[in-house]
Every structure is written in C-alpha cells, then in structure tokens.
C-alpha cells in the first residue's frame, strides 16, 4: 500500500462495513456476523464487476480488514468511479437477502484517494503514506456510520477537522 501512494497513480481505498452498531443487531452472535462477511464480499465483487470501465485501471484488491470490515484498494481510479462504486455497493447491500436477518441491512463506506502531487485541488485526495490512507479512510467510515446514518458513504473532505470517532473518544472527568 505504501508503494501505491508513492507513484503518480491515484489509488483509492474504500473501507466498507455493515451497520452492525444499529439496535436490531445488538444481540447478533459473532458466528452469524462471520456468515454475513462473505455475503458482503460477494456484494462488493458484484458491484466491482458491474462498474468496471475506463475510470478504473490497475488491479483491485478486496480483503477483510480488522474484524468486521472489508477494504477495497483500487490501484488507479478517478473520483467519479469511486463514488459510483460506493453507491452501487450501498444499493446492493440494501436490496440483498441476508441470512438470518428479518429486516433490511445497510452498510457504511469511508473513501480516501491518495496522490502525491502537491498541486491537487481536491480535499478528498490525500498526499500521505499508505498507513495515512488507511487511517483517513477508516476515519471517513466512522464518520459515515456515526454522523451520516445507516447506508451512507463519506469522503475525507466531508469530515470536520475536530471530528473524533466515538470508538476512540475519551471520557474525561472525575467520579465522586
């Protein structure tokens, strides 16, 4: 990943996760979630196959990331392709039949584009290392989940500078 950001290409990283933080999924067992992740990966692969065109070049890599997330690295793409792909993924997740779910399912997506050129105009393009790209895409994912609501995607540029994901929030004060 670090080599991808060092080139003149525009790698795009999408972090995709089911909205498992919603109340209806509070008691879902981990083994059920493990059944949903291959379904999510299949949905992502279907979306990629549907959207392959001249706006994406190079290889696409899809892998499980952290515990319940899937990372999609597109070695070279333009911003409209990433937006279309994210939209297709969200639509397909919402319309798919999920094992052991009596209600609809949604996903959230965080998106970051990396480019090392200093003259970039877009705040969604990060001039950063591979690790920074992952960190920013993950932060965009949490922003989509926590602030935009279920079934949304967020770009790095949408995130206020002072945004702190709840997952990393610190409770300050004293008891007593």
């Amino acid at each position: 990943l670090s080599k991808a950001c060092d080139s003149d290409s525009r790698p795009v990283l999408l972090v995709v996760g089911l909205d498992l933080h919603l109340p209806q999924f509070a008691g879902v067992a981990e083994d059920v979630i493990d059944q949903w992740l291959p379904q999510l990966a299949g949905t992502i692969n279907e979306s990629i196959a549907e959207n392959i065109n001249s706006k994406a070049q190079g290889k696409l890599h899809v892998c499980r990331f952290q515990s319940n997330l899937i990372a999609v690295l597109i070695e070279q793409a333009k911003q409209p392709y990433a937006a279309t792909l994210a939209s297709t993924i969200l639509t397909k997740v919402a319309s798919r039949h999920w094992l052991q779910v009596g209600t609809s399912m949604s996903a959230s997506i965080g998106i970051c584009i990396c480019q090392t050129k200093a003259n970039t105009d877009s705040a969604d393009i990060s001039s950063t290392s591979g690790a920074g790209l992952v960190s920013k895409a993950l932060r965009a994912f949490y922003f989509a989940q926590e602030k935009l609501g279920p079934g949304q995607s967020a770009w790095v540029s949408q995130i206020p500078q002072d945004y702190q994901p709840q997952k990393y929030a610190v409770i300050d004060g004293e008891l007593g």
Side-chain angles (χ1 to χ4, degrees):
L1 183 60
S2 61
K3 290 186 187 226
C5 286
D6 290 338
S7 69
D8 286 335
S9 68
R10 292 176 67 158
V12 178
L13 181 64
L14 289 81
V15 173
V16 184
L18 296 172
D19 289 324
L20 299 174
H21 65 292
L22 298 174
Q24 65 262 35
F25 302 115
V28 175
E30 198 64 36
D31 63 324
V32 174
I33 294 170
D34 285 340
Q35 293 175 23
W36 290 340
L37 289 175
Q39 283 187 275
L40 178 58
T43 302
I44 291 168
N45 285 329
E46 289 169 17
S47 300
I48 290 169
E50 225 175 78
N51 288 289
I52 291 293
N53 57 34
S54 62
K55 294 178 182 168
Q57 301 168 347
K59 295 180 181 177
L60 287 99
H61 307 273
V62 179
C63 67
R64 189 169 182 172
F65 177 67
Q66 293 187 346
S67 60
N68 296 323
L69 302 175
I70 295 183
V72 180
L73 176 66
I74 307 165
E75 288 184 359
Q76 189 174 7
K78 295 181 180 177
Q79 193 168 346
Y81 174 77
T84 300
L85 179 59
S87 177
T88 303
I89 292 168
L90 294 175
T91 301
K92 285 188 169 293
V93 165
S95 65
R96 186 175 190 124
H97 172 73
W98 293 86
L99 298 172
Q100 301 183 14
V101 177
T103 184
S104 62
M105 181 73 75
S106 62
S108 296
I109 302 175
I111 310 166
C112 187
I113 297 177
C114 178
Q115 183 175 340
T116 57
K117 293 180 181 173
N119 61 354
T120 183
D121 301 356
S122 174
D124 291 312
I125 300 174
S126 174
S127 182
T128 188
S129 66
L133 182 70
V134 171
S135 174
K136 287 182 178 191
L138 193 56
R139 191 166 178 256
F141 166 77
Y142 287 123
F143 182 78
Q145 243 186 8
E146 295 172 5
K147 300 297 181 186
L148 301 181
Q152 301 296 315
S153 62
W155 292 82
V156 171
S157 64
Q158 290 178 265
I159 306 170
Q161 292 294 325
D162 62 347
Y163 169 71
Q164 180 69 23
Q166 290 176 4
K167 181 174 181 145
Y168 303 111
V170 176
I171 299 174
D172 196 16
E174 294 181 22
L175 293 175

